[in-house]
Amino acid sequence: MDLDPQCRAMLEAIAANGSPFDTDDAVEARKMVAATTKPLPDPDPRFSEVRDGSFPGPGGAIGYRYYRPTGIADRGAPALIYYHGGGMVFGTLDSHDPICRATAVGAGCVVLSIDYRLAPEAVFPAAVMDSWAAFMEVVDRAESFGIDPSRIAVGGDSAGGNLAAVISLMARDVGGPLPCFQWLIYPNTDMAAQGGSIDAFADGYFLTRDGLAWIQRLYLTSNDQRFDWRASPLRAPSLARVAPALVQTAGFDPLKDEGTAYAARLKEAGVAVELIDYPGMIHGFIRAIGVIDVAQQAIDDGVTALKTAFAA
């Protein structure tokens, strides 16, 4: 499969304007992401409520954005807790706002997007602890959020997919409550991985091998942490009894192999899992709604899986 022409055009634009993975400076990377961030305007007639709030967390307040589409039940609605991507170094509520809105409307569910702490200011396992605290807060406050505590899914892209997978494991290990589903979009599941797709797509496809090494240097404080399952859920001793999953991978993504491997391990552990690969795509493509046609298809596939899980 060849690189999708729309992805190729986007890569040309990135080459001209710079990529957050081309710098060793977290502040500069965040500025680059902000420059490509175009949140949808409010008021948005598709929603009865979009608001920002915060939860208490282990390192201070954890911000969130709450999306409630029009036409869903006032009580007992299904919900998705979404963890944004960005390598644990960049990414914001705004950078993933269009994804959250499209998902909420498509799936007919509440979405809560979580603004967890970022490295290097807050290193591993700060993002995990914030993500877990947010999950438990949403479960505990389900009634006030107008959602059904038995129909809360977790999801995220890249680093956010890592966090969604880790939260699913943590929920299992403490005996619940369990998310009803996990939506893992080109997830980073093994920070100790080498070779394979990482080498095959080391340069020229947005996320680079050097970029992966850079974000790990900022997020992790020792080499041993690369093998900690809270950083590398693929290395968890067992994936049994976690939430059913959709894993999505991109054909020209350094993380493709570890996403594929995670889906295989889930299946081996007896977990219901669907793996969808988008052959002509690059890492991060799902953010390019309206620019890359397959981005909407990937969201539609996620919406279909969420609706099935919520119905079950």
Side-chain angles (χ1 to χ4, degrees), residues 20 40 105 113 143 300:
L40 299 180
V105 171
S113 182
E143 184 174 353
D300 291 345

Side-chain angles (χ1 to χ4, degrees), residues 21 86-87 89-90 207 210-220:
F21 295 110
V89 173
F90 48 86
L207 177 60
D210 288 347
L212 279 171
W214 169 62
I215 61 179
Q216 289 175 13
R217 286 196 302 271
L218 294 188
Y219 181 53
L220 305 176

